């Protein structure tokens, strides 16, 4: 189920199996300042869920780099994705969640990248599409793969081709065909596609059932 809410009217007392997607528009900044801006935005997004001041949050990392909050228990998980013009933070309780965000106006070398990073059947399906649909279908598959890798915490190296999806240029939820061993049962996964803003696509992935998924825009930083 997709619910779309405006502003921070989200109930931060997340129920088990519930996920939130927070969209944060971002003006262009100098590359050296982007990390500081993202850290500040992530803290503002997560603080209401744990009842702590943003400045007091402490983070750790799993062996392959997946971040987590220290001192709040494993039930609450989050994932961050950033691209030109905005960022998203997925937050869930009782689910290991992953998210990826892409701009739809990107024009990557889709067939070359698919041959390198996709399953051969995916690459062949992409090549069979009309030229004008290939970039959209590639970005849809890519966001699904990255979100799933973030949910497991495996990282992307040697993993993107192990996640196999139906190649689809539409805005439908990703359809998972096969997954790497660390994913467990592919049938147990939930993958949801949303558009947090015009011109963007995002996928939220979780190794379990997402009972409810709501989206809201994070208020701008008053500072």
């Amino acid at each position: 189920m997709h619910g779309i809410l405006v502003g921070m009217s989200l109930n931060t007392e997340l129920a088990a199996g519930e996920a939130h997607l927070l969209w944060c528009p971002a003006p262009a900044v100098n590359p050296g300042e982007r990390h500081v801006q993202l850290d500040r935005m992530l803290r503002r997004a997560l603080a209401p869920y744990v009842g702590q001041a943003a400045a007091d949050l402490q983070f750790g990392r799993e062996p392959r780099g997946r971040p987590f909050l220290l001192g709040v228990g494993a039930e609450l998980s989050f994932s961050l994705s950033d691209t030109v013009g905005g960022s998203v933070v997925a937050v869930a309780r009782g689910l290991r969640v992953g998210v990826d965000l892409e701009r739809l106006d990107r024009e990557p070398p889709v067939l070359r990248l698919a041959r390198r990073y996709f399953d051969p059947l995916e690459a062949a399906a992409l090549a069979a599409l009309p030229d004008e649909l290939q970039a959209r279908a590639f970005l849809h598959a890519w966001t699904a793969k990255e979100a799933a890798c973030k949910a497991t915490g495996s990282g992307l190296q040697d993993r993107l081709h192990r996640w196999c999806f139906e190649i689809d240029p539409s805005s439908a939820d990703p359809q998972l065909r096969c997954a790497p061993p660390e994913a467990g049962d592919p049938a147990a996964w939930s993958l949801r596609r949303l558009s947090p803003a015009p011109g963007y696509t995002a996928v939220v992935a979780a190794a379990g059932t997402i009972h409810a998924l709501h989206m809201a825009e994070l208020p701008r930083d008053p500072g």
Side-chain angles (χ1 to χ4, degrees), residues 123-166:
L126 188 66
L129 288 176
D131 292 350
E132 65 272 16
L133 297 180
Q134 289 178 358
R136 181 67 58 94
F138 173 85
L139 291 171
H140 282 182
W142 187 273
T143 49
K145 289 170 180 283
E146 279 217 35
C149 286
K150 289 181 179 181
T152 62
S154 68
L156 305 184
Q157 186 174 7
D158 298 326
R159 281 295 179 269
L160 289 173
H161 71 287
R162 304 291 297 274
W163 292 93
C164 310
F165 292 90
E166 294 293 333

Side-chain angles (χ1 to χ4, degrees), residues 50-203:
V50 296
Q52 296 182 21
D56 293 338
L57 298 181
Q58 298 184 43
F59 298 89
R61 288 191 178 273
E62 295 178 0
R64 292 183 176 269
R66 176 183 165 88
F68 61 91
L69 280 167
L70 293 170
V72 300
E75 279 294 298
L76 187 76
S77 74
F78 70 91
S79 182
L80 166 70
S81 186
D82 176 58
T83 191
V84 176
S87 308
V88 287
V89 179
V91 189
R93 188 171 299 281
L95 296 167
R96 279 178 64 93
V97 71
V99 68
D100 190 54
L101 172 72
E102 296 286 349
R103 289 177 63 104
L104 289 173
D105 60 359
R106 288 184 55 200
E107 296 182 358
V110 295
L111 297 182
R112 178 170 63 83
L113 291 174
R115 286 191 291 268
R116 181 176 180 182
Y117 295 112
F118 283 17
D119 175 84
L121 292 178
E122 291 176 311
L126 188 66
L129 288 176
D131 292 350
E132 65 272 16
L133 297 180
Q134 289 178 358
R136 181 67 58 94
F138 173 85
L139 291 171
H140 282 182
W142 187 273
T143 49
K145 289 170 180 283
E146 279 217 35
C149 286
K150 289 181 179 181
T152 62
S154 68
L156 305 184
Q157 186 174 7
D158 298 326
R159 281 295 179 269
L160 289 173
H161 71 287
R162 304 291 297 274
W163 292 93
C164 310
F165 292 90
E166 294 293 333
I167 298 300
D168 187 357
S170 79
S171 58
D173 289 338
Q175 299 300 305
L176 180 61
R177 294 194 294 108
C178 63
E182 66 268 17
D185 181 6
W189 278 75
S190 297
L191 294 112
R192 303 287 182 261
R193 183 172 302 283
L194 302 93
S195 178
Y200 292 85
T201 188
V203 170

Side-chain angles (χ1 to χ4, degrees), residues 4 11 14 18 33 39 93 129 146 151 153 157 174 196 199 202 213:
I4 299 179
N11 180 3
L14 279 169
E18 183 180 2
E33 298 174 357
D39 178 75
R93 188 171 299 281
L129 288 176
E146 279 217 35
Q157 186 174 7
L213 175 59

